[in-house]
Amino acid sequence: MTITGEIRGPGPRRTPPRWRVTSLEVLCGLLVLALVLQDWLVGVLDVPVLRTASTVFVAVCVQALPFLVLGVLISGAIAAFVPASALRRLLPSRTALAVPVAGVAGVALPGCECASVPVARRLMQQGVAPAVALSFLLAAPAVNPVVLVSTAVAFRDAPMVVPARFAGSLLTAVVMGWLWTRFGKAGWIAERALRRLPDHDGRSRWLVFAETARHDLVDAGGFLVLGGVFAAAFNVLVPQSWLEALGGRLVLSIVVMALLAVVLALCSEADAFVAVSMTALPLLPRLVFLVVGPAVDVKLVALQAGAFGKSFAARFAPATFVVAIACALAAGAVFL
């Protein structure tokens, strides 16, 4: 009888893990450096311009942060505990009627723009008409109670901005839904966005809640900080005479504010605090800023291209930009 066996050689040599510098180490190093050099920093930074800028930055972030946190918590709860199929069951069978219903249903989804894109894709994957899902995508981050309350807090001296923003944003969502019903083609949307998926993926609902809330807070919080930096820089770097000259040219100020909304890509729950700081501009250009921002900006275009394809984003974003400006002007003519 022969005995056969396998001779195992020595296992792979384990190399000790290399220490890598991460953002946490960089942050700790900067804090230590700031503590060591605090006397020098106080002398360098103690100038009127920087004091004004820091005051504006802190004011914008502190006022907007509670609404941002509330929004991401509610958005995470809806993503985890409210199935997207529930909205589909409530929608009328005719697409033309379902579009405004989906726009109004956006009130039930407090969250930033980045949360509405995956929800809209999920609706398409569950059989909802693309026009209806896109109407919901545009309405959800713009007409929900968190955004309206934050706008009311920011524009407490101009309360009519709130209904004007609601009307302009809802009209934008409905008009774009109807335009897609008439002119949109399924071939413009990537196949992956229309592929049917099961309702559940086996993950814990609390895990989905935590992941969604964390993702939205980190993503939107970064844009809030950038918005605060912009507001601070805008107040101290742009001469008041420029703003007064721009405010005297209504058409130019509308175009400039619409383009700023696209470039800045602020969270819809925080953009009102940035807009209200531009006191030299009339209310109408600032309303255009508030309506255009949640509908189309650079981060939304990137998200839409990733979710629905580049062909979709190349057509949908420019059309939304034009429609949002027109709807904001119409709402402003009625309410302001």
Side-chain angles (χ1 to χ4, degrees), residues 30-46:
L30 290 176
L31 291 176
V32 172
L33 188 62
L35 290 174
V36 173
L37 302 176
Q38 59 179 333
D39 294 334
W40 177 79
L41 289 175
V42 168
V44 171
L45 300 179
D46 189 19

Side-chain angles (χ1 to χ4, degrees), residues 79-146:
F81 303 108
V82 179
S85 57
L87 178 62
R88 184 183 59 186
R89 292 194 297 266
L90 297 175
L91 293 173
S93 56
R94 292 186 58 184
T95 302
L97 296 177
V99 164
V101 174
V104 175
V107 175
L109 183 63
C112 62
E113 302 90 292
C114 52
S116 65
V117 173
V119 173
R121 181 176 60 179
R122 182 71 168 183
L123 292 174
M124 291 185 189
Q125 292 170 339
Q126 291 187 336
V128 173
V132 178
L134 295 176
S135 179
F136 185 82
L137 180 150
L138 294 174
V143 301
N144 67 72
V146 176

Side-chain angles (χ1 to χ4, degrees), residues 7 27 73 103 106 121 128 136 145-146 158 163 182 217 255 263 281 313 317:
I7 301 176
L27 176 61
L73 290 178
R121 181 176 60 179
V128 173
F136 185 82
V146 176
R182 178 64 178 85
L217 181 61
V255 174
V263 175
L281 296 178

Side-chain angles (χ1 to χ4, degrees), residues 6-215:
E6 180 181 359
I7 301 176
R8 297 183 179 179
R13 298 180 60 184
R14 296 182 179 179
T15 57
R18 294 182 178 180
W19 181 74
R20 295 184 302 174
V21 178
T22 65
S23 58
L24 180 60
E25 283 78 13
V26 173
L27 176 61
C28 293
L30 290 176
L31 291 176
V32 172
L33 188 62
L35 290 174
V36 173
L37 302 176
Q38 59 179 333
D39 294 334
W40 177 79
L41 289 175
V42 168
V44 171
L45 300 179
D46 189 19
V47 294
V49 172
L50 291 179
R51 286 200 301 267
T52 302
S54 61
T55 301
V56 174
F57 172 78
V58 172
V60 169
C61 293
V62 169
Q63 290 183 85
L65 189 59
F67 297 100
L68 181 62
V69 173
L70 176 62
V72 299
L73 290 178
I74 299 178
S75 177
I78 291 175
F81 303 108
V82 179
S85 57
L87 178 62
R88 184 183 59 186
R89 292 194 297 266
L90 297 175
L91 293 173
S93 56
R94 292 186 58 184
T95 302
L97 296 177
V99 164
V101 174
V104 175
V107 175
L109 183 63
C112 62
E113 302 90 292
C114 52
S116 65
V117 173
V119 173
R121 181 176 60 179
R122 182 71 168 183
L123 292 174
M124 291 185 189
Q125 292 170 339
Q126 291 187 336
V128 173
V132 178
L134 295 176
S135 179
F136 185 82
L137 180 150
L138 294 174
V143 301
N144 67 72
V146 176
V147 170
L148 297 179
V149 171
S150 67
T151 305
V153 172
F155 286 90
R156 60 175 63 91
D157 296 329
M160 295 308 293
V161 172
V162 179
R165 181 178 192 177
F166 177 85
S169 299
L170 182 59
L171 187 60
T172 300
V174 173
V175 169
M176 284 303 300
W178 282 338
L179 287 177
W180 188 271
T181 302
R182 178 64 178 85
F183 302 104
K185 298 180 180 179
W188 294 344
I189 302 177
E191 186 274 336
R192 63 180 178 274
L194 302 175
R195 190 184 305 132
R196 304 296 287 271
L197 294 177
D199 286 339
H200 303 286
D201 57 5
R203 291 186 298 171
S204 165
R205 293 184 183 274
W206 287 106
L207 179 61
V208 174
F209 167 77
E211 290 180 351
T212 303
R214 179 186 58 81
H215 173 271

